Amino acid sequence: MQPKVRFGVRGSAGVITFDAPPLNLIDRQVRYELLAAIEAATGHNIDRLILTSACRVFVAGADAGEFGKPPEAPHLNDVLWALSDLPIPTIAVLDGAALGGGCEIALACRARIASPRAEIGLPEVKLGLVPGAGGTQRLPRLVGIPLALEVIVAGKTLTAQQAFEAGAVTRVCETPLDCALSLPAAELSTMTVPNGLAAPQPAPKALEAARKTAKRRARGQIAPLCAVDMIAASALEPLEAGLYQEREAFLTLRQSDQARALRHVFFAERAAQSQARNYLDDGRVFESACVIGGGNMGTSIAYALASAGMSVQVVERDAASCTLAERKCEALIAAAQTRGLITSNTASTITARMAYIANYDQLARVDLAIEAVFEDMNVKKDILTKLEAVLPKNSILATNTSYLDVNKMAAVLRHPERFLGLHFFNPAHIMKLLEVIRTDTTSEATLGAAFRLTKKLRKIPVLSGVCEGFIGNRILKRYREAAESMLLQGATPRQIDQSMRDFGMAMGPFEAQDMSGLDIAYANRNRAGHTRGFRTVADRLVEDHNRLGRKSGGGWYDYSEGQASESELVTRLTETTAQETGIARRLFDSTEIVNTLVGAMTDEAHAILEEGIAQTPEDIDLVMILGYGFPRYRGGLMYCSVSGEASKPNR
Ligand code: NAI
């Protein structure tokens, strides 16, 4: 077996090198070899022990695959106790990411010397855990409780410079290994032994605020609140007692349903992101693109492409629409800058990559064209025909349609093999999900290129076959129908929304419709000729009362100054519709509401799998979590139905 951790001596320094590319993940072998290296170091006459990496990262964390198995000795907390207890100065050399257990290794050293490329973070809560080898006790002792809360509870990653300013990194320099090797003896002798660090100042207000935020942002999740408790303990308990509590919490959480579900999603995302590997790489690059339609979707897609380094032309109908599109893109860039997501330099670079044209003669020979115009088959067919006439034969053509038949669009093309659906979610520059729609004629080469594009855009792609609404919107439609049917049977919008929120959905089905607009689904029902044999409440709201949701001041709810209240009109219309259709009304409780609605979505999801529209249950889980606010900590729709999560109350 290749060793993953090596020990050697360079001059007066002992050097432990992590060498398990690409990520130096910590598994049993690494823990075992690290402990052996620490023990070996004590047998040498050295004045310092340096921990470094042969890879691009320092150590990217624990091997999540091991979390599903019983813990095996040596445990990382014991290994790090041995490291932190060494009588010689220990220095972690960080020239890349030190995350999770990797960060904990660094924190158990007396000093951390980092290059500007390094970053540290403790993202364990994302996997339903707390750090289990000292992170919650050692980080607050170095940087104080408020920042430790941001890193451990909110999952913030610190750059080398931020970590230096906060006190978690001792020095930042271009060549950290050389720096560690040449540190003068005087500096070595002043380093604080990690086990001797003073407890942090208690910060009751910051702890309370973090609890409140965690309850709101990570509703229903146990790990973030547990992490707050552990950080609170760092100010109250001696280090050893705090470490013991932390370890107990880690071991309990590791076996929790939530951690299991979150691991399931983690592996599903990883598999989705590596799909490009299933296709031959034809060497195609994506450097330039055009987006047809500069509306809500077109502009956010264009911004996403430009942010990924592509030059982008937005094609609109006329000069006035071009100006509108340009303003929308500018607003997106300004918003990102205001939120501190991009610097003003980056904003200028992105702006310079974008152009707005109203004439196909001005179109460059782009690698990719995405149409995002009105949801109208004829307009879309016309645009695809024009694009094919002016673009090189190897440019990829894509549509962002939500519902229309992409096979029918493909039929107007002379080279339909280079055409596919790229269904972005709103807003496209933020939402991680991208449904990749394969038509009957899309070639393997086009699909492979599309998956490589999704990588460039840092999206999580899910392959879908052709059906109305593809995977996500088809399930959403069934969900809404089931919710409306329950309304007629006696439940209220408030009751249904609250039940689904309590289950963990980001929003209930009625408030979500009010947010996105009732007119979109209405237009779609009409276009597709869907009728339920009677005028539904949703139809009546749109046709008779022009209630389109928040944007028109009312929909399923009334709105006053942004606050939603139950609508008497909706109650009346519901009762009338139920009476006219002979539906008996009764009471519902929230368990029945959740089980019925999740059950309806699951039935549709099974049909989607059986028809081969989705490839795997995990793909459906990803679509629902990343596109529709399904609770991640329940593992997704299909995982939930198999594990019985749906019927479990929220903790
Ligand atoms: P929108 O109404 O905001 O924008 C459509 C834009 O297309 C307008 O700016 C219009 O001027 C332009 N346009 C129309 N005909 C054109 C033509 N012949 N040449 C150039 N530009 C033309 O619509 P939105 O919401 O951006 O939707 C666009 C597409 O994206 C639709 O197919 C929709 O189904 C799909 N989609 C929408 C999502 C959403 O949440 N809004 C989510 C995912 C997909």
Side-chain angles (χ1 to χ4, degrees):
M1 193 166 30
Q2 276 287 101
K4 294 182 176 179
V5 182
R6 290 182 270 114
F7 173 73
V9 175
R10 278 178 73 174
S12 64
V15 179
I16 293 177
T17 307
F18 295 99
D19 191 5
L23 295 175
N24 280 339
L25 293 181
I26 306 168
D27 57 11
R28 183 173 176 277
Q29 185 189 342
V30 168
R31 296 193 301 272
Y32 179 85
E33 290 176 0
L34 175 57
L35 186 59
I38 292 167
E39 281 163 6
T42 58
H44 286 78
N45 185 17
I46 49 177
D47 67 356
R48 70 198 73 187
L49 177 63
I50 294 171
L51 284 81
T52 184
S53 157
C55 309
R56 209 170 35 87
V57 299
F58 175 67
V59 172
D63 178 355
E66 283 197 346
F67 289 150
K69 302 175 192 154
E72 268 192 289
H75 307 297
L76 188 61
N77 58 325
D78 295 330
V79 178
L80 296 191
W81 185 259
L83 176 66
S84 60
D85 218 23
L86 281 177
I88 37 170
T90 45
I91 307 164
V93 165
L94 313 178
D95 196 10
L99 301 174
C103 179
E104 290 177 302
I105 294 174
L107 294 176
C109 293
R110 292 190 193 182
R112 285 147 294 282
I113 301 184
S115 78
R117 297 167 291 281
E119 54 179 23
I120 67 164
L122 290 164
E124 282 84 348
V125 291
K126 292 182 186 157
L127 284 178
L129 301 168
V130 291
T136 65
Q137 303 305 300
R138 292 199 173 104
L139 189 66
R141 280 174 164 80
L142 285 169
V143 304
I145 285 182
L147 185 59
L149 288 165
E150 280 185 52
V151 173
I152 298 170
V153 184
K156 177 177 175 163
T157 304
L158 300 180
T159 61
Q161 188 58 31
Q162 289 169 329
F164 171 68
E165 284 162 17
V169 154
T170 329
R171 270 182 186 223
V172 181
C173 60
E174 268 303 325
T175 51
L177 180 57
D178 293 343
C179 181
L181 286 166
S182 60
L183 274 190
E187 196 163 335
L188 292 175
S189 64
T190 57
M191 289 176 179
T192 319
V193 179
N195 293 350
L197 285 169
Q201 287 296 315
K205 280 193 184 146
L207 288 162
E208 209 30 57
R211 274 196 191 93
K212 265 196 189 150
T213 311
K215 280 184 189 157
R216 186 164 42 83
R217 289 218 188 126
R219 200 158 32 95
Q221 296 190 40
I222 44 182
L225 290 174
C226 180
V228 177
D229 291 343
M230 295 301 113
I231 295 168
S234 71
L236 306 172
E237 305 281 352
L239 180 67
E240 221 172 326
L243 290 175
Y244 179 78
Q245 275 188 25
E246 179 199 72
R247 185 70 189 166
E248 292 292 294
F250 170 80
L251 290 174
T252 308
L253 287 173
R254 201 175 186 265
Q255 301 185 46
S256 67
D257 291 339
Q258 291 195 359
R260 254 191 277 273
L262 289 165
R263 280 200 293 276
H264 163 79
V265 181
F266 171 78
F267 287 117
E269 286 186 344
R270 232 171 48 172
Q273 283 167 313
S274 60
Q275 285 179 89
R277 277 205 302 238
N278 304 336
Y279 300 85
L280 269 184
D281 186 346
D282 60 5
R284 183 195 301 264
V285 289
F286 288 105
E287 283 171 355
S288 57
C290 66
V291 178
I292 323 300
N296 282 335
M297 290 307 292
T299 48
S300 63
I301 293 170
Y303 172 52
L305 299 174
S307 301
M310 298 168 74
S311 62
V312 186
Q313 289 179 307
V314 177
V315 186
E316 258 293 349
R317 291 181 287 185
D318 47 44
S321 309
C322 277
T323 308
L324 278 180
E326 185 167 4
R327 282 209 197 113
K328 279 187 183 147
C329 288
E330 280 168 3
L332 293 176
I333 295 168
Q337 218 183 321
T338 309
R339 289 179 59 202
L341 301 175
I342 53 172
T343 62
S344 62
N345 271 351
T346 311
S348 310
T349 311
I350 294 175
T351 306
R353 288 188 192 126
M354 304 180 82
Y356 306 85
I357 57 173
N359 191 331
Y360 287 80
D361 296 344
Q362 293 169 269
L363 200 58
R365 295 171 64 79
V366 291
D367 305 317
L368 166 75
I370 302 176
E371 80 68 23
V373 300
F374 302 138
E375 191 74 335
D376 180 309
M377 179 60 92
N378 289 332
V379 180
K380 288 186 191 276
K381 279 181 174 171
D382 178 48
I383 284 167
L384 289 170
T385 313
K386 281 187 182 138
L387 287 171
E388 186 165 54
V390 294
L391 289 180
K393 251 203 328 233
N394 61 348
S395 305
I396 294 214
L397 306 184
T399 172
N400 182 47
T401 181
S402 307
Y403 290 97
L404 299 177
D405 186 339
V406 285
N407 279 327
K408 287 193 180 145
M409 290 183 211
V412 301
L413 295 170
R414 275 182 293 126
H415 292 286
E417 67 282 356
R418 45 117 151 218
F419 170 71
L420 82 171
L422 288 177
H423 185 224
F424 287 83
F425 285 70
N426 189 13
H429 59 292
I430 292 175
M431 298 290 279
K432 283 264 169 221
L433 180 65
L434 185 54
E435 283 181 324
V436 174
I437 321 295
R438 168 188 217 150
T439 73
D440 291 347
T441 41
T442 306
S443 70
E444 293 286 302
T446 299
L447 274 184
F451 283 119
R452 284 194 297 282
L453 170 73
T454 61
K455 223 173 178 157
K456 188 174 172 112
L457 298 178
R458 294 168 171 232
K459 299 287 181 200
I460 298 180
V462 168
L463 184 61
S464 170
V466 180
C467 67
E468 196 192 310
F470 314 119
I471 299 173
N473 280 340
R474 179 165 154 185
I475 294 174
L476 177 69
K477 182 161 164 275
R478 178 75 175 265
Y479 175 45
R480 287 179 170 171
E481 280 171 7
E484 203 178 325
S485 160
M486 201 178 274
L487 211 62
L488 294 180
Q489 292 172 61
T492 67
R494 178 75 86 200
Q495 199 190 0
I496 294 173
D497 282 345
Q498 192 57 49
S499 302
M500 294 314 287
R501 269 179 178 262
D502 290 346
F503 169 71
M505 296 294 287
M507 275 191 199
F510 295 104
E511 53 189 344
Q513 281 181 73
D514 274 0
M515 189 74 95
S516 60
L518 273 66
D519 46 335
I520 296 177
Y522 175 78
N524 191 50
R525 283 197 298 277
N526 279 358
R527 185 180 40 240
H530 290 306
T531 156
R532 306 202 36 210
F534 60 92
R535 284 176 75 226
T536 64
V537 181
D539 291 338
R540 290 168 199 241
L541 285 173
V542 175
E543 287 169 3
D544 304 346
H545 302 278
N546 194 34
R547 286 177 69 100
L548 310 180
R550 277 183 182 267
K551 63 184 170 190
S552 68
W556 290 105
Y557 294 94
D558 291 338
Y559 292 93
S560 166
E561 290 174 4
Q563 289 299 313
S565 58
E566 284 197 275
S567 156
E568 278 178 28
L569 175 71
V570 170
T571 309
R572 226 176 30 247
L573 288 177
T574 308
E575 285 169 359
T576 313
T577 312
Q579 209 172 26
E580 284 173 9
T581 47
I583 293 171
R585 290 173 63 77
R586 64 183 176 86
L587 294 177
F588 281 84
D589 68 22
S590 57
T591 307
E592 184 179 1
I593 291 173
V594 169
N595 285 341
T596 308
L597 295 186
V598 174
M601 288 193 272
T602 310
D603 286 348
E604 194 66 42
H606 279 297
I608 284 172
L609 266 180
E610 274 158 27
E611 290 166 30
I613 300 293
Q615 309 297 298
T616 64
E618 287 79 10
D619 279 354
I620 294 179
D621 288 337
L622 290 180
V623 168
M624 296 312 291
I625 291 169
L626 300 170
Y628 298 86
F630 198 92
R632 188 180 179 92
Y633 64 86
R634 290 194 188 266
L637 181 63
M638 302 305 279
Y639 179 88
C640 209
S641 67
V642 174
S643 68
E645 275 287 300
S647 51
K648 287 183 192 162
N650 221 332
R651 310 86 184 147

